[in-house]
Amino acid sequence: MRVDIIGGGPAGLFLAILLRRDRFVDDVRLFERNEPDASAGWAVVFPEGSLDALARADPGAFEAIERAGVSWTQVEIRCRDSLYLVEGNRFHGIGRDALLSILRERATELGAKLHYGQRVTDLADHAGADLVVGADGPNSVVRAQLEHEVGPHVEHGSFWYGWFGIEAARPTFAYLFVDTEWGLFQGYVYPSGQSWSSLIIYVSEETRQRSGLSEMDVEESLRFCEQVFAAHLDGKPILRRGPAWTRFRHLRCDSWHAGNVVLIGDAAHTAHWSIGSGTRLALEDAIALATQLRAQPARIPDALAMYEKVRRDRVERFQDAARLSEWYFDNVRRYLDFEPIQFAYQLVARSWRITFADIAKRDPDFIRRFNAWFHGRATGTPTEIAPSPVFAPAGIGGLRLANRVVTTVPTEGAGLVIGAPPAPGRPAAALVSVGRLEPDLAAACDAGYQLALLDLTAHPVADLLVDPPGRELSALRARWPAGQPVGAVLGLAAGCGGALRTAETVALSHVLERSEVDVVLLRAAAGDPPPPGQVLQVADAVRNETGLTVIVDDGLRTLDAADTAIAAGRSDLCVLRFESDAGEA
């Protein structure tokens, strides 16, 4: 079998290694447009677990990468005048040049034929290969020639970033947030195992324009950023290799293969660099493709179909997590006034794949201090030992709740029950229909409910923004007992997490706030529900851009899920949907 690999990055080189191990494929040819000594950027990061897969696939490459790089577990978070160190997963950083050199030597040792300075422009030149692999990155020539077959979709991020270096061997990953007169500058510094560290700088378009960064040449922009980050660079200059400022390109493809051609790594998909998994996904692609080719070498189309089937779901989960991480950094300004310990917690949990329990396991001392801070803030009484955030008391207007668990059926220990009749010691909220406002309110008062929620879920948020329910809200406030809180329930449809839809929900929430509403409950619309997580994403924006208390109903089923949302400041209270009440209102 002859396999031609287009692209000499980590994905292509590692695939060449795997195909030549045990002489599995007799003829492996790799074509890379650049020369071997061409600069290939700065350092890459392997999260915990990714090196385990590499070690199983090729122990020789793994051992060399371990020796050439450096590992760490802590992350350092610097914002304004605060500094927090949080223990996390084990990470391993290595210079990209060093990584490629290791993979190149290993592939050559195993008999792969590497051709450098060979720019591929036409797949017809590889007609003699049994299999052609496009491993040529986000600017893939292979993908471009198969555009109609693979259906690429590209979307640019809104922020600008530059990948640079500094002449300092930093011991751990550091997040830098510098608030300037022009806007927020974000920096990410991480080790390489060498005398230098990588530095990524991230700015919004608004900050880029206001600071004049957009008008500077590259060298001017670096000198300017040295001044911005002066307190964090120890007097070291910012270094560059190759192109500088750009916006991230999110790539997804309808298919990763066509005929005897297949895409791997960034040629097939990209994941925002803020979760540090691009190289990991590329190497895992190579492992999965080699595995399928070994399983059915005589049926290449079947092997390619199985490769995509095996990999797509995992890759898309990482892409979704990366979009949430990007979304966090794009919106981090809304959290700058958080207490430093909560700011640090939220950053660690930004991809939503890391739960409160995960962080507690990795850094129990940090969570002990976090719980004490959260409980002390909620009660006004300092404490050393405290339960997790979901068990901290909460308030909605003048209504005091023992904890932040909300249910829709009578549940022992819940802080608030929605819809169920009140009982001694169990605060309850009544749902009030717009069409039956007065009789529902009267019945709720007679039954002793302490909170009235106007149900607006039958109306899309955009419609409510055009025609706000001002009269109904005024009547709700006027007819409900003075001193007891009122609120509204909004139903969020599919797509609610997009920038425009989120902005609409925040704008409507401001309208509710001006109408003296105390709390808003956000839940999925019945007819066109969004995927899990989107309601919580919108809740984050509403809570942190208005003064309303926010309850979120997003299908959460565990205390850990509620702790994760509440600790990060995404919601004040969470509806927990147990199996027995899955169908309740």
Side-chain angles (χ1 to χ4, degrees):
M1 181 192 300
R2 172 182 155 190
V3 177
D4 284 5
I5 301 171
I6 315 301
L13 284 168
F14 198 53
L15 179 62
I17 291 169
L18 298 178
L19 296 182
R20 283 298 298 163
R21 282 196 67 197
D22 307 321
R23 304 297 186 266
F24 164 52
V25 175
D26 57 339
D27 189 0
V28 175
R29 308 179 188 185
L30 183 144
F31 302 85
E32 165 58 41
R33 64 180 180 176
N34 295 315
E35 297 295 339
D37 58 354
S39 174
W42 300 92
V44 298
V45 175
F46 291 97
E48 187 171 43
S50 57
L51 286 178
D52 296 341
L54 190 149
R56 289 190 297 269
D58 188 72
F62 164 75
E63 291 168 4
I65 291 170
E66 279 274 277
R67 288 193 303 269
V70 62
S71 297
W72 68 89
T73 56
Q74 286 186 323
V75 294
E76 182 180 307
I77 301 161
R78 299 185 183 192
C79 182
R80 293 179 172 169
D81 296 324
S82 70
L83 188 156
Y84 261 90
L85 285 171
V86 183
E87 285 286 347
N89 277 339
R90 177 177 176 268
F91 294 89
H92 189 78
I94 181 173
R96 196 169 189 271
D97 282 343
L99 172 64
L100 294 180
S101 178
I102 289 168
L103 297 179
R104 187 164 56 240
E105 290 175 11
R106 181 66 172 146
T108 301
E109 172 191 329
L110 292 172
K113 301 168 186 173
L114 309 184
H115 303 276
Y116 284 85
Q118 298 286 316
R119 182 181 295 273
V120 173
T121 58
D122 193 341
L123 289 179
D125 295 338
H126 299 271
D130 298 287
L131 172 65
V132 177
V133 180
D136 48 345
N139 297 314
S140 173
V141 172
V142 177
R143 186 185 66 245
Q145 294 197 23
L146 296 176
E147 183 171 358
H148 295 297
E149 292 87 344
V150 301
H153 304 276
V154 177
E155 179 184 346
H156 286 85
S158 60
F159 274 50
W160 291 81
Y161 75 96
W163 190 22
F164 308 114
I166 58 171
E167 292 179 340
R170 292 298 179 90
T172 190
F173 199 117
Y175 294 94
L176 315 174
F177 300 91
V178 181
D179 206 3
T180 74
E181 59 186 291
W182 310 289
L184 184 67
F185 282 75
Q186 304 177 48
Y188 315 88
V189 182
Y190 56 99
S192 67
Q194 300 181 44
S195 61
W196 52 266
S197 300
S198 277
L199 167 65
I200 297 176
I201 299 175
Y202 198 54
V203 295
S204 69
E205 173 64 19
E206 180 183 8
T207 297
R208 180 171 171 265
Q209 295 292 338
R210 292 179 62 186
S211 65
L213 202 63
S214 61
E215 303 299 323
M216 300 177 193
D217 64 30
V218 176
E219 290 303 321
E220 288 176 327
S221 72
L222 296 191
R223 305 293 80 80
F224 177 79
C225 289
E226 286 170 3
Q227 296 302 312
V228 170
F229 291 100
H232 307 285
L233 299 181
D234 301 325
K236 304 296 184 181
I238 298 175
L239 311 174
R240 79 175 178 102
R241 295 174 180 168
W245 304 97
T246 188
R247 293 184 297 156
F248 189 80
R249 289 192 300 168
H250 298 276
L251 168 68
R252 296 188 186 228
C253 292
D254 295 335
S255 176
W256 297 346
H257 69 283
N260 70 331
V261 183
V262 64
L263 304 173
I264 64 173
D266 284 350
H269 47 73
T270 59
H272 194 264
W273 47 262
S274 61
I275 64 168
S277 289
T279 304
R280 171 189 195 157
L281 293 175
L283 297 185
E284 288 181 352
D285 279 0
I287 293 170
L289 179 57
T291 299
Q292 296 306 321
L293 290 171
R294 281 179 180 272
Q296 37 191 344
R299 300 191 303 276
I300 288 177
D302 293 341
L304 301 187
M306 184 56 67
Y307 150 73
E308 182 169 342
K309 180 178 180 180
V310 168
R311 285 294 291 157
R312 182 175 283 276
D313 182 62
R314 177 171 172 81
V315 167
E316 289 182 349
R317 288 201 306 271
F318 270 90
Q319 288 181 303
D320 291 343
R323 290 306 294 262
L324 287 170
S325 177
E326 178 192 28
W327 178 84
Y328 165 80
F329 287 116
D330 288 0
N331 292 281
V332 73
R333 173 167 284 283
R334 83 168 53 129
Y335 315 117
L336 292 182
D337 290 330
F338 277 21
E339 288 292 323
I341 194 169
Q342 188 174 30
F343 185 88
Y345 171 89
Q346 191 191 54
L347 189 151
V348 174
R350 68 190 180 280
S351 73
W352 300 41
R353 298 175 64 245
I354 298 174
T355 71
F356 185 86
D358 292 332
I359 299 175
K361 182 178 179 180
R362 296 168 185 175
D363 195 338
D365 183 63
F366 174 79
I367 289 299
R368 178 191 62 76
R369 288 180 286 128
F370 182 89
N371 289 343
W373 165 79
F374 195 96
H375 201 82
R377 184 187 65 169
T379 62
T381 303
T383 181
E384 290 293 325
I385 303 297
S388 65
V390 75
F391 295 110
I396 301 176
L399 177 62
R400 310 312 297 170
L401 306 177
N403 59 62
R404 294 160 189 259
V405 175
V406 180
T407 61
T408 55
V409 296
T411 305
E412 177 130 18
L416 178 69
V417 179
I418 296 176
R426 188 180 69 202
L431 288 173
V432 178
S433 169
V434 171
R436 290 180 43 83
L437 183 62
E438 294 198 11
D440 281 358
L441 279 174
C445 286
D446 292 342
Y449 283 94
Q450 299 98 327
L451 168 64
L453 297 173
L454 183 63
D455 188 356
L456 301 173
T457 57
H459 307 279
V461 168
D463 292 353
L464 290 169
L465 194 55
V466 173
D467 185 18
R471 181 175 57 81
E472 293 83 356
L473 291 170
S474 296
L476 178 69
R477 181 71 277 175
R479 288 168 173 72
W480 194 244
Q484 290 191 3
V486 297
V489 186
L490 302 180
L492 305 183
C496 64
L500 177 60
R501 296 287 183 84
T502 298
E504 289 176 345
T505 306
V506 170
L508 177 59
S509 298
H510 279 301
V511 172
L512 299 176
E513 188 178 13
R514 290 192 293 271
S515 298
E516 300 184 68
V517 165
D518 301 285
V519 60
V520 62
L521 167 61
L522 302 177
R523 59 174 37 160
D528 185 23
Q534 278 201 8
V535 172
L536 191 53
Q537 185 176 336
V538 178
D540 182 311
V542 171
R543 180 187 182 275
N544 293 299
E545 295 186 23
T546 75
L548 292 171
T549 298
V550 174
I551 305 173
V552 68
D553 184 359
D554 198 9
L556 305 185
R557 295 185 178 277
T558 67
L559 291 172
D560 185 35
D563 270 327
T564 301
I566 293 166
R570 298 170 186 147
S571 180
D572 295 291
L573 300 98
C574 291
V575 175
L576 287 184
R577 292 279 180 173
F578 302 108
E579 295 296 333
S580 60
D581 68 326
E584 298 294 327

